[in-house]
């Protein structure tokens, strides 16, 4: 059986969560990896059951209490973030204060105090996106937009290496038949795209990565994807016709 990196990660997370459930059932207190896996898996399972994002986050915040974890674990675990597949598409779930009943106020020793919110950058690219599907499609803020739902029609080449210009954890919804203008910004950090739809699975800026991703997308039927050679040939033909 061939699995994508995303599917392998999901199975790894589920296995870790099952281990945490088994140990908790034996009366053991959970460590940081076990507690984190159980919280994240609760979100994924809630999504699989058809629950909404808010309901999944609520369920994850109530799966563990201070008495379920080893001393200090509740202080160490911050926000737990996991991408789960909901009925309207993949969404990034952010579970704040996941160990309920911690009881620490904002001024508790060692508390992390939020600084001023950073302003969202200006979009580097603006694209029109047409949802040709019969169902709504949602794309999360840090999803490699190039690899988003194949029934979304837009210039895939222009979206390569880009994400939505939107706050972390948010998403943009495309209703059936709707055309929406979006802004995109380059993916930061080391610019490595692992998982998503499996069209890149590596460094975004590696030699030939963009061309190969466009070829894969075109072969798989992603709307708006044309290999670079085809795009160049089409541009030449259009210029000659003029």
């Amino acid at each position: 059986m061939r699995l994508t990196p995303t599917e392998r990660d999901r199975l790894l997370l589920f296995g870790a969560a099952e281990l945490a459930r088994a140990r908790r059932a034996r009366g053991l207190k959970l460590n940081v990896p076990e507690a984190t896996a159980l919280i994240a898996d609760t979100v994924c399972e809630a999504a699989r059951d058809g629950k909404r994002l808010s309901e999944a986050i609520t369920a994850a915040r109530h799966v563990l209490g201070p008495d379920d974890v080893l001393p200090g674990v509740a202080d160490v675990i911050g926000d737990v973030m996991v991408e789960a597949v909901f009925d309207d598409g993949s969404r990034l779930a952010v579970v704040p204060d996941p160990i309920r009943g911690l009881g620490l106020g904002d001024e508790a020793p060692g508390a992390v105090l939020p600084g001023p919110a950073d302003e969202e950058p200006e979009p580097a690219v603006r694209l029109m996106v047409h949802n040709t599907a019969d169902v709504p499609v949602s794309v999360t803020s840090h999803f490699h937009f190039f690899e988003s739902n194949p029934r979304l029609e837009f210039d895939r080449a222009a979206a390569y290496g880009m994400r939505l210009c939107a706050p972390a954890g948010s998403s943009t919804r495309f209703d059936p038949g709707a055309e929406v203008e979006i802004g995109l910004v380059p993916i930061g950090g080391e610019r490595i795209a692992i998982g998503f739809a499996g069209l890149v699975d590596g460094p975004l800026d590696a030699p030939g990565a963009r061309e190969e991703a466009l070829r894969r997308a075109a072969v798989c039927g992603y709307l708006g994807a044309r290999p670079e050679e085809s795009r160049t040939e089409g541009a030449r033909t259009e210029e000659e016709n003029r």
Side-chain angles (χ1 to χ4, degrees):
M1 183 173 66
R2 298 184 61 183
L3 299 173
T4 67
T6 299
E7 290 167 337
R8 289 197 297 267
D9 289 344
R10 178 69 191 98
L11 288 176
L12 181 62
L13 174 62
F14 177 77
E18 282 294 280
L19 177 62
R21 292 186 184 99
R23 289 180 173 173
R24 185 171 66 161
R26 298 205 310 266
L28 299 177
K29 293 182 181 293
L30 305 184
N31 58 25
V32 171
E34 293 164 349
T36 303
L38 183 53
I39 293 164
D41 184 69
T42 300
V43 173
C44 295
E45 288 300 300
R48 185 66 178 84
D49 290 339
K51 294 184 178 178
R52 296 175 298 179
L53 177 62
S54 60
E55 294 173 326
I57 292 175
T58 299
R61 292 192 69 191
H62 288 81
V63 71
L64 290 176
D67 295 336
D68 297 316
V69 297
L70 291 168
V73 169
D75 301 313
V76 172
I77 297 179
D79 293 350
V80 173
M81 293 182 286
V82 61
E83 188 165 336
V85 181
F86 293 83
D87 288 345
D88 59 350
S90 295
R91 308 280 295 276
L92 178 65
V94 181
V95 185
D97 186 20
I99 311 295
R100 57 183 172 81
L102 184 57
L104 294 180
D106 290 341
E107 299 180 0
V112 178
L113 302 179
D118 295 332
E119 294 183 1
E120 282 297 312
E122 285 294 318
V125 173
R126 289 189 179 276
L127 295 176
M128 289 300 299
V129 179
H130 176 209
N131 181 12
T132 66
D134 296 328
V135 295
V137 174
S138 291
V139 181
T140 53
S141 59
H142 283 60
F143 195 91
H144 184 203
F145 202 81
F146 170 85
E147 301 183 66
S148 58
N149 194 294
R151 305 315 302 168
L152 293 180
E153 186 174 15
F154 59 92
D155 187 348
R156 299 267 171 181
Y160 183 82
M162 299 279 184
R163 67 170 181 85
L164 284 168
C165 184
S170 64
S171 64
T172 297
R173 176 187 172 103
F174 303 92
D175 290 321
E179 291 191 36
V180 180
E181 184 182 58
I182 60 164
L184 300 175
V185 294
I187 292 174
E190 297 182 355
R191 288 181 57 77
I192 296 177
I194 297 294
F196 299 113
L199 299 178
V200 181
D201 274 342
L204 288 163
D205 302 321
R210 184 174 184 271
E211 292 74 16
E212 176 61 15
L214 280 166
R215 185 193 69 80
R216 291 181 182 179
V219 169
C220 293
Y222 280 71
L223 296 180
R226 287 189 296 164
E228 287 294 279
E229 291 183 3
S230 300
R231 290 169 58 84
T232 303
E233 185 66 28
R236 289 175 181 170
T237 303
E238 185 178 345
E239 184 65 27
E240 291 170 359
N241 291 337
R242 290 177 182 174

